Amino acid sequence: MFDVVASAPGKVILHGEHAVVHGKEAVAAALNLRTTVTISAEATTDGDDSSAALCLQLADLDIDTVVSWHDLSDALRCQGKQVATGPRLPS
């Protein structure tokens, strides 16, 4: 099993949010509010990826759901994305 954790601060843009795409300056600041994501994977004992799933937990939004790899793959393919046949763990 492995875990990957990433975290980023919130931000506020006080002036110039859309001007920066035209090379202009903006006034921005980080906030003491963070978004954190943890990705965990576990190898299946039989090598079968059919039970693989994405668990999504967003405590502040009261969301706790599980999406099977099969359903996630189908949804991405419908959007024209290339999808691996199953999750791959680092060796």
Side-chain angles (χ1 to χ4, degrees):
M1 182 169 155
F2 75 96
D3 289 342
V4 175
V5 179
S7 178
K11 68 176 178 179
V12 61
I13 300 175
L14 302 174
H15 178 73
E17 180 174 4
H18 297 288
V20 295
V21 298
H22 301 290
K24 303 297 181 187
E25 296 178 354
V27 177
L31 301 175
N32 192 20
L33 299 171
R34 298 193 75 79
T35 298
T36 302
V37 62
T38 302
I39 300 171
S40 300
E42 233 175 77
T44 56
T45 56
D46 58 4
D48 180 15
D49 291 332
S50 65
S51 62
L54 170 70
C55 302
L56 185 61
Q57 297 174 322
L58 304 171
D60 292 343
L61 301 176
D62 198 29
I63 294 174
D64 190 355
T65 189
V66 177
V67 180
S68 73
W69 180 260
H70 180 264
D71 291 345
L72 181 60
S73 298
D74 286 348
L76 291 172
R77 279 192 196 94
C78 286
Q79 295 180 11
K81 308 289 184 197
Q82 289 186 336
V83 181
T85 56
R88 297 290 176 251
L89 299 177
S91 50

